[in-house]
Amino acid sequence: MTARTSLRSVAESRGFDVGAAVDADLLRNDAGYWKLLRREFTTVTPENALKMGPLRPSPDTYDFGDADAVVNFGLEYDMTVRGHTLVWHNQTPEWFEEWAYTDDGIEGFLRDHIHTVAGRYRDKIDVWDVVNEAIADDGSMRETVWYDAMGEAYLDEAFGWADDVTDADLYYNDYGADGINEKSDAVYDLITGMLDRDVPIDGVGLQLHALHDEPDPGSVAENVYRFEDLGLDVQITEMDVAYPEGEVPEDHREQQAQYYRSIVEACLDTGCETLVTWGVRDGDSWVPGWFSGLTDDPLLFDGSTPKPAYHAIMDVLAEGSD
Ligand code: XIL
C-alpha cells in the first residue's frame, strides 16, 4: 500500500515524475513555496532562468545566479532537473540586435551559448529542451532569428552542440502539438527528418497548455505513440488548464481535475513518464498575466492547499500501485 503522504511519494512509488516550473525569486523568498515544491514534486524546471535573455545580461557575460538557485535546489532534494531552453525565438536578450550580426556571427554566438550553458550543467541537468517552438501555428517553419540565419539546419546544429557537452536527454518542445493535428504532423515530419540525418535527439516535449481547449486525451495518446514508434521518449512539459469566460463549466475545478486525470492516464497507458505543470500555486501562474478572459486557477495548488486536480492525479497514480 502506497503511503499517500504526498504526490511525490505516490509518484515515486509508481516510477512517475511529476514536475513544476520554478521561479527563482519565490524559491529564495517564500519558504511556503519551496517546502511545497520539495514535498510534492520529483522534478523541477526553471520557468525563466535558463532562457537566453535572463542568462545573458550583455554579449560577453552570463548571469547564472537564478538558474543555479533552481538547479541546485533540485539536486539538494533529489529531484531531477529539466533545462528549458537553449534555443527559442522569445526572451532573447534585449541587447541582441540580429541585424548587427552576420549569419556566421549568429551561428557562432549560438554555438558558444549552447556549449557554455549545457556544458556548465553537464552533470546536473537530466533533460534539455534544446529547441523550443520551431514550428509556427500553420505548420510551417517559424521565422526566427535562428531560422533566418541558418535555415532549418539550426535545429541539427543546436542538438549537435548540446550533444558535444552533455549526456542529458535532448528534447524538441512545442505547444499546440499535443494531439494529432496539423502542427503535430509538422513536428513529426521535422523530427523524422532529423532522425534520418542522425541528429542526436532523444525526445519530444508536449507543452499541453490547455488554455482555450482541452486536447482530446485519446488523440494525445495516439500522438505519444507515434513519437515513441520513432524511438523517442515523450514528456508533458508545461501543463496548465484554464477555461474561457462564457465557457466556464459550473464545476470547473472538478472538470479540470478530470482533465488532469485523463492526461496522467494517457501517460501511464503510453509510457510517457513525466508530467510537468507550468508553476506550483495558482497565484504564481503565468496565465493571468498573459491571457485575459481565462479562469485564473490553472494549477494543482490554491495557495498551499491541494485542489481536486491534485487529488485526481494522486488517485490515478496510486491505482494499480497499491
Ligand atoms: C513563460 C513564463 O511562464 C513567463 O513567466 C514568461 O514571462 C514568458 O514565458 N511556452 C514556453 C515557456 O515554452 O517558456 C513560457 O513560459 C510559456 C509558453
Side-chain angles (χ1 to χ4, degrees):
M1 176 86 189
T2 306
R4 289 189 173 219
T5 49
S6 65
L7 185 56
R8 178 173 184 167
S9 64
V10 173
E12 280 175 343
S13 58
R14 186 71 192 240
F16 193 83
D17 271 306
V18 182
V22 176
D23 181 88
D25 281 336
L26 287 172
L27 199 57
R28 288 195 191 94
N29 300 320
D30 183 340
Y33 180 80
W34 64 258
K35 287 182 180 169
L36 196 60
L37 196 55
R38 76 168 180 191
R39 189 180 75 216
E40 301 291 350
F41 294 91
T42 67
T43 296
V44 288
T45 187
E47 182 170 353
N48 289 300
L50 281 170
K51 295 169 181 171
M52 195 182 276
L55 274 183
R56 308 294 300 271
S58 73
D60 301 319
T61 56
Y62 288 82
D63 178 353
F64 288 111
D66 282 359
D68 282 355
V70 179
V71 172
N72 291 337
F73 172 84
L75 295 177
E76 189 176 346
Y77 293 109
D78 287 328
M79 302 160 107
T80 53
V81 182
R82 292 195 91 259
H84 174 84
T85 174
L86 293 167
V87 191
W88 194 24
H89 60 284
N90 278 334
Q91 289 180 275
T92 52
E94 276 167 28
W95 50 262
F96 186 70
E97 293 175 1
E98 56 203 82
W99 53 89
Y101 289 82
T102 62
D103 290 354
D104 284 350
I106 287 183
E107 183 169 343
F109 171 80
L110 186 61
R111 184 185 58 236
D112 291 347
H113 179 83
I114 292 176
H115 279 162
T116 303
V117 177
R120 178 185 181 86
Y121 296 107
R122 178 196 300 267
D123 299 321
K124 298 185 170 181
I125 286 186
D126 305 275
V127 181
W128 266 109
D129 290 333
V130 177
V131 177
N132 196 32
E133 303 178 357
I135 299 288
D137 292 346
D138 66 359
S140 63
M141 290 299 295
R142 188 185 292 277
E143 302 274 340
T144 69
V145 47
W146 320 113
Y147 182 75
D148 289 346
M150 300 166 65
E152 203 174 312
Y154 87 85
L155 286 110
D156 299 16
E157 298 283 21
F159 278 82
W161 293 326
D163 189 55
D164 289 342
V165 294
T166 177
D167 293 326
D169 285 343
L170 304 180
Y171 273 57
Y172 174 80
N173 192 54
D174 216 327
Y175 70 88
D178 311 302
I180 303 278
N181 58 34
E182 200 179 357
K183 184 158 176 179
S184 64
D185 287 350
V187 170
Y188 184 86
D189 291 344
L190 177 74
I191 291 177
T192 309
M194 290 166 70
L195 289 168
D196 286 346
R197 296 189 296 275
D198 288 328
V199 174
I201 176 169
D202 301 295
V204 181
L206 307 178
Q207 293 186 7
L208 230 162
H209 293 290
L211 301 180
H212 298 94
D213 57 31
E214 295 180 341
D216 172 57
S219 184
V220 172
E222 211 183 311
N223 198 30
V224 172
Y225 277 133
R226 71 168 163 170
F227 287 115
E228 288 178 343
D229 285 344
L230 296 176
L232 299 171
D233 293 327
V234 181
Q235 300 185 343
I236 306 296
T237 54
E238 306 187 13
M239 189 164 174
D240 36 27
V241 182
Y243 299 92
E245 264 167 28
E247 294 170 38
V248 185
E250 210 174 304
D251 56 349
H252 82 274
R253 287 197 172 189
E254 289 303 326
Q255 180 155 327
Q256 180 187 55
Q258 282 314 311
Y259 189 63
Y260 270 106
R261 180 188 171 96
S262 65
I263 293 299
V264 176
E265 281 170 343
C267 279
L268 293 173
D269 288 348
T270 55
C272 128
E273 289 168 348
T274 299
L275 183 144
V276 177
T277 58
W278 205 240
V280 180
R281 307 171 302 199
D282 285 336
D284 312 316
S285 164
W286 73 304
V287 170
W290 279 82
F291 304 92
S292 54
L294 289 179
T295 48
D296 60 359
D297 55 356
L299 297 168
L300 305 184
F301 291 90
D302 178 358
S304 56
T305 307
K307 293 165 55 188
Y310 168 96
H311 294 293
I313 295 181
M314 179 100 114
D315 287 348
V316 71
L317 290 176
E319 277 166 22
S321 68
D322 290 352

